[in-house]
Amino acid sequence: MNHLIAPSVLAADFTNLQRDMEMLNNSEADWIHFDVMDGVFVPNISFGFPILKAIKPLTVKPIDVHLMIVNPDHYIEQFAQAGATNITVHFEACIHLNRTIQAIKSAGCKAGVALNPHTPISFLEDIITELDLVLIMSVNPGFGGQKFIPNTYKKLYDLKALSKNRNPDLKIEVDGGVSDENCKELLEAGANVLVAGNSVFAAADPLQAISKLKHP
Ligand code: DX5
Ligand code: ZN
């Protein structure tokens, strides 16, 4: 499977979202990563439906919504209607994860589960066959521009082993501190979707930064 690049809107210039969306349309980016933070599940607040609705008509790419919120079940339908292609919820935020995953699929979206850095891959054993995507957090969620946590490599290997027979088409996404310096190793370890915020938007040439991640 060719790997995908998902630049994170969190690192875009919010006063120039139209320009940044046009840049992504003209780039080798595959998805638009959209980080929703509620100030409860994570110690930060980002953006929600109004911004998602605003960028939806500006992009030609699928929108990959990453919900860092408590009670995600309450908002699945609204995110689907606002234009989400994928909806990823946090394992740590879902008491009835199987029900939540079914709700995401019923809303017509691809369903993902995100794991915080301390949450082991083995916790996915009884849900892995139901998932379209697993997102491995390689920083503690809440902020862009943080330092990559090296234990992520082990988790990617573990997830690759778990999904090999039981869900070979699984998208394995890594999120946080991804750059052209670690992307090759991440892909070798099992990642097939790279989220990148600062390494794209803070680059002198974001188009080239995306291209470097796409062709490491
Ligand atoms: C962090 C978010 C990430 C963030 C990544 O909580 O989930 O998607 O935007 O930003 P960088 O690539 O700058 O670490
Ligand atoms: Zn994210």
PDB file of all heavy atoms in Angstrom, residues 100-117:
ATOM      1  N   THR A 100     -19.537   3.120  19.497  1.00  0.00           N
ATOM      2  CA  THR A 100     -19.094   4.369  18.861  1.00  0.00           C
ATOM      3  C   THR A 100     -18.617   4.116  17.433  1.00  0.00           C
ATOM      4  O   THR A 100     -18.958   4.879  16.516  1.00  0.00           O
ATOM      5  CB  THR A 100     -17.954   5.008  19.695  1.00  0.00           C
ATOM      6  OG1 THR A 100     -18.409   5.136  21.037  1.00  0.00           O
ATOM      7  CG2 THR A 100     -17.549   6.362  19.156  1.00  0.00           C
ATOM      8  N   ILE A 101     -17.855   3.034  17.259  1.00  0.00           N
ATOM      9  CA  ILE A 101     -17.345   2.706  15.918  1.00  0.00           C
ATOM     10  C   ILE A 101     -18.515   2.403  14.967  1.00  0.00           C
ATOM     11  O   ILE A 101     -18.540   2.862  13.818  1.00  0.00           O
ATOM     12  CB  ILE A 101     -16.375   1.486  16.002  1.00  0.00           C
ATOM     13  CG1 ILE A 101     -15.117   1.884  16.787  1.00  0.00           C
ATOM     14  CG2 ILE A 101     -16.017   0.939  14.630  1.00  0.00           C
ATOM     15  CD1 ILE A 101     -14.352   3.056  16.221  1.00  0.00           C
ATOM     16  N   GLN A 102     -19.490   1.658  15.458  1.00  0.00           N
ATOM     17  CA  GLN A 102     -20.653   1.357  14.604  1.00  0.00           C
ATOM     18  C   GLN A 102     -21.406   2.641  14.238  1.00  0.00           C
ATOM     19  O   GLN A 102     -21.891   2.797  13.119  1.00  0.00           O
ATOM     20  CB  GLN A 102     -21.609   0.357  15.283  1.00  0.00           C
ATOM     21  CG  GLN A 102     -20.993  -0.990  15.673  1.00  0.00           C
ATOM     22  CD  GLN A 102     -20.079  -1.599  14.619  1.00  0.00           C
ATOM     23  OE1 GLN A 102     -20.295  -1.454  13.419  1.00  0.00           O
ATOM     24  NE2 GLN A 102     -19.024  -2.268  15.062  1.00  0.00           N
ATOM     25  N   ALA A 103     -21.481   3.563  15.184  1.00  0.00           N
ATOM     26  CA  ALA A 103     -22.180   4.841  14.923  1.00  0.00           C
ATOM     27  C   ALA A 103     -21.454   5.645  13.844  1.00  0.00           C
ATOM     28  O   ALA A 103     -22.088   6.275  12.991  1.00  0.00           O
ATOM     29  CB  ALA A 103     -22.296   5.650  16.217  1.00  0.00           C
ATOM     30  N   ILE A 104     -20.133   5.623  13.880  1.00  0.00           N
ATOM     31  CA  ILE A 104     -19.354   6.354  12.861  1.00  0.00           C
ATOM     32  C   ILE A 104     -19.633   5.759  11.486  1.00  0.00           C
ATOM     33  O   ILE A 104     -19.869   6.475  10.502  1.00  0.00           O
ATOM     34  CB  ILE A 104     -17.839   6.313  13.187  1.00  0.00           C
ATOM     35  CG1 ILE A 104     -17.549   7.086  14.469  1.00  0.00           C
ATOM     36  CG2 ILE A 104     -17.019   6.864  12.022  1.00  0.00           C
ATOM     37  CD1 ILE A 104     -16.121   6.937  15.001  1.00  0.00           C
ATOM     38  N   LYS A 105     -19.650   4.417  11.420  1.00  0.00           N
ATOM     39  CA  LYS A 105     -19.911   3.765  10.127  1.00  0.00           C
ATOM     40  C   LYS A 105     -21.343   4.024   9.660  1.00  0.00           C
ATOM     41  O   LYS A 105     -21.579   4.256   8.467  1.00  0.00           O
ATOM     42  CB  LYS A 105     -19.646   2.263  10.244  1.00  0.00           C
ATOM     43  CG  LYS A 105     -18.164   1.948  10.419  1.00  0.00           C
ATOM     44  CD  LYS A 105     -17.958   0.454  10.485  1.00  0.00           C
ATOM     45  CE  LYS A 105     -16.491   0.102  10.553  1.00  0.00           C
ATOM     46  NZ  LYS A 105     -16.283  -1.347  10.740  1.00  0.00           N
ATOM     47  N   SER A 106     -22.269   3.992  10.583  1.00  0.00           N
ATOM     48  CA  SER A 106     -23.670   4.256  10.216  1.00  0.00           C
ATOM     49  C   SER A 106     -23.845   5.674   9.683  1.00  0.00           C
ATOM     50  O   SER A 106     -24.753   5.942   8.893  1.00  0.00           O
ATOM     51  CB  SER A 106     -24.596   4.085  11.418  1.00  0.00           C
ATOM     52  OG  SER A 106     -24.523   2.776  11.868  1.00  0.00           O
ATOM     53  N   ALA A 107     -22.984   6.580  10.130  1.00  0.00           N
ATOM     54  CA  ALA A 107     -23.046   7.974   9.652  1.00  0.00           C
ATOM     55  C   ALA A 107     -22.384   8.113   8.285  1.00  0.00           C
ATOM     56  O   ALA A 107     -22.332   9.217   7.726  1.00  0.00           O
ATOM     57  CB  ALA A 107     -22.386   8.901  10.667  1.00  0.00           C
ATOM     58  N   GLY A 108     -21.838   7.005   7.769  1.00  0.00           N
ATOM     59  CA  GLY A 108     -21.269   7.023   6.417  1.00  0.00           C
ATOM     60  C   GLY A 108     -19.790   7.361   6.366  1.00  0.00           C
ATOM     61  O   GLY A 108     -19.251   7.659   5.298  1.00  0.00           O
ATOM     62  N   CYS A 109     -19.121   7.306   7.515  1.00  0.00           N
ATOM     63  CA  CYS A 109     -17.689   7.656   7.566  1.00  0.00           C
ATOM     64  C   CYS A 109     -16.834   6.432   7.828  1.00  0.00           C
ATOM     65  O   CYS A 109     -17.314   5.409   8.290  1.00  0.00           O
ATOM     66  CB  CYS A 109     -17.449   8.689   8.667  1.00  0.00           C
ATOM     67  SG  CYS A 109     -18.286  10.252   8.364  1.00  0.00           S
ATOM     68  N   LYS A 110     -15.552   6.567   7.528  1.00  0.00           N
ATOM     69  CA  LYS A 110     -14.564   5.560   7.922  1.00  0.00           C
ATOM     70  C   LYS A 110     -14.281   5.768   9.407  1.00  0.00           C
ATOM     71  O   LYS A 110     -14.236   6.912   9.880  1.00  0.00           O
ATOM     72  CB  LYS A 110     -13.266   5.726   7.127  1.00  0.00           C
ATOM     73  CG  LYS A 110     -13.446   5.570   5.627  1.00  0.00           C
ATOM     74  CD  LYS A 110     -13.600   4.122   5.249  1.00  0.00           C
ATOM     75  CE  LYS A 110     -13.661   3.959   3.742  1.00  0.00           C
ATOM     76  NZ  LYS A 110     -14.196   2.636   3.364  1.00  0.00           N
ATOM     77  N   ALA A 111     -14.070   4.651  10.116  1.00  0.00           N
ATOM     78  CA  ALA A 111     -13.955   4.726  11.570  1.00  0.00           C
ATOM     79  C   ALA A 111     -12.542   4.450  12.041  1.00  0.00           C
ATOM     80  O   ALA A 111     -11.918   3.456  11.660  1.00  0.00           O
ATOM     81  CB  ALA A 111     -14.907   3.719  12.214  1.00  0.00           C
ATOM     82  N   GLY A 112     -12.044   5.351  12.905  1.00  0.00           N
ATOM     83  CA  GLY A 112     -10.702   5.196  13.447  1.00  0.00           C
ATOM     84  C   GLY A 112     -10.672   5.302  14.952  1.00  0.00           C
ATOM     85  O   GLY A 112     -11.553   5.888  15.572  1.00  0.00           O
ATOM     86  N   VAL A 113      -9.626   4.690  15.533  1.00  0.00           N
ATOM     87  CA  VAL A 113      -9.372   4.814  16.966  1.00  0.00           C
ATOM     88  C   VAL A 113      -7.963   5.342  17.157  1.00  0.00           C
ATOM     89  O   VAL A 113      -7.022   4.862  16.515  1.00  0.00           O
ATOM     90  CB  VAL A 113      -9.520   3.450  17.683  1.00  0.00           C
ATOM     91  CG1 VAL A 113      -9.016   3.528  19.119  1.00  0.00           C
ATOM     92  CG2 VAL A 113     -10.974   3.018  17.686  1.00  0.00           C
ATOM     93  N   ALA A 114      -7.828   6.340  18.029  1.00  0.00           N
ATOM     94  CA  ALA A 114      -6.518   6.898  18.361  1.00  0.00           C
ATOM     95  C   ALA A 114      -6.083   6.399  19.728  1.00  0.00           C
ATOM     96  O   ALA A 114      -6.913   6.232  20.630  1.00  0.00           O
ATOM     97  CB  ALA A 114      -6.588   8.427  18.365  1.00  0.00           C
ATOM     98  N   LEU A 115      -4.771   6.159  19.861  1.00  0.00           N
ATOM     99  CA  LEU A 115      -4.206   5.725  21.141  1.00  0.00           C
ATOM    100  C   LEU A 115      -3.215   6.761  21.644  1.00  0.00           C
ATOM    101  O   LEU A 115      -2.309   7.177  20.915  1.00  0.00           O
ATOM    102  CB  LEU A 115      -3.440   4.403  20.973  1.00  0.00           C
ATOM    103  CG  LEU A 115      -4.186   3.162  20.513  1.00  0.00           C
ATOM    104  CD1 LEU A 115      -3.232   1.969  20.530  1.00  0.00           C
ATOM    105  CD2 LEU A 115      -5.405   2.874  21.372  1.00  0.00           C
ATOM    106  N   ASN A 116      -3.382   7.153  22.911  1.00  0.00           N
ATOM    107  CA  ASN A 116      -2.393   8.009  23.549  1.00  0.00           C
ATOM    108  C   ASN A 116      -1.074   7.255  23.686  1.00  0.00           C
ATOM    109  O   ASN A 116      -1.056   6.019  23.625  1.00  0.00           O
ATOM    110  CB  ASN A 116      -2.899   8.426  24.938  1.00  0.00           C
ATOM    111  CG  ASN A 116      -3.840   9.613  24.871  1.00  0.00           C
ATOM    112  OD1 ASN A 116      -3.840  10.357  23.890  1.00  0.00           O
ATOM    113  ND2 ASN A 116      -4.644   9.785  25.903  1.00  0.00           N
ATOM    114  N   PRO A 117       0.029   7.983  23.921  1.00  0.00           N
ATOM    115  CA  PRO A 117       1.332   7.305  23.989  1.00  0.00           C
ATOM    116  C   PRO A 117       1.414   6.182  25.026  1.00  0.00           C
ATOM    117  O   PRO A 117       2.155   5.226  24.842  1.00  0.00           O
ATOM    118  CB  PRO A 117       2.299   8.448  24.337  1.00  0.00           C
ATOM    119  CG  PRO A 117       1.659   9.653  23.735  1.00  0.00           C
ATOM    120  CD  PRO A 117       0.181   9.449  23.922  1.00  0.00           C
TER     121      PRO A 117
END
